[in-house]
Amino acid sequence: MTVNAVPRPGFDAELRAGLAVVGGMFPPTITPELIDFMRVSYASPPMTDLFRQHRIDVTDVVLPGYQGADLTAAVLRPRDAQGPRPTVLYAHSGGLMFGDKFSGLDLVLDWVSDLGATVITVDYRLAPEFPDPYPWEDMYAALEWVAAEAGNLGVRRDRILVAGASAGGGLAAGIALAARDRGGPRPCGQLLDYPMLDDRLITASTAQFDGIGVWDRVSNQTAWQAMLGDRRGGDDVSPYAAPARAGDLSALPPAFIDVGAAEIFRDEAIDYAGRIWAAGGDAELHVWSGAFHACDIFAPHTSVGRSMIRTRNAWVEKTLAD
């Protein structure tokens, strides 16, 4: 694909050097024909040694998802933890089409080992085989299960944070909305890393990144088409599937939103934070200069990647504290 000529912010020099390496595993443009390839390429590596290094105990569980279907999940606890713990319910990245419960999880292990939190990460069902409402309903069912099983899980019911990256960030935003509207368990916060929020593909940043970077306009269209089918971009789209569609962003848990200045989700993330503020809510927004999508996952060693991780971890620590 020829890279378009629309003016756009440049990539950070240190990050730009890593893009060629990233492209071998995660091509900038993902079409429906590449979904099966991505399910192999983006599958999480073995994590046993990493869990051991961080002194994390992992318990595999099965929980009831949407319509009672069995979902697999993992409960990560600090070794030798005692008493009820603050907890993060985590939705993985992967454009709603690929990835698994451990995808990108190495970035949040510090929440367990350093902050003493429990992390529960879920294998929600994926589009296109399981389109809207399955992914977000699975995650909402997981939130209800965590709250209901808090005593057995050693979870503090008043300190459940919902979090996710990319598509997972959109899911975290969607279940925060659903919990408010359904009178469900109220999260203590919502952490939305470069979230996928809007199926309409109408922002300036969407047009700026076409055939370049990580997760371009066509990739986003592929994902939303898999999730919504012919309803994509139309009037009949649930705000729980595409949170940018929500007309009311009041009475939501405090939000942390971060996004790269050099990626397609920049404008919808900024708009979402602005609308939370306009509704009187609490949002902390970070827009990282020169950052491409998910650069902290693909290039965590860079200055920008390290800054993103450090800033995010500080917010999580503050939000999970009493």
Side-chain angles (χ1 to χ4, degrees), residues 15 30 46 79 131 154 195 216 247 266 273:
L15 291 174
I30 296 170
R79 190 161 297 165
D216 73 348
R266 180 193 67 218

Side-chain angles (χ1 to χ4, degrees), residues 58-97:
V58 182
T59 304
D60 295 323
V61 297
V62 176
L63 59 87
Y66 179 48
Q67 297 179 335
D70 286 346
L71 303 179
T72 59
V75 181
L76 283 60
R77 299 183 180 91
R79 190 161 297 165
D80 305 321
Q82 310 233 340
R85 313 302 304 166
T87 296
V88 180
L89 176 63
Y90 190 77
H92 67 76
S93 55
L96 301 169
M97 302 176 293

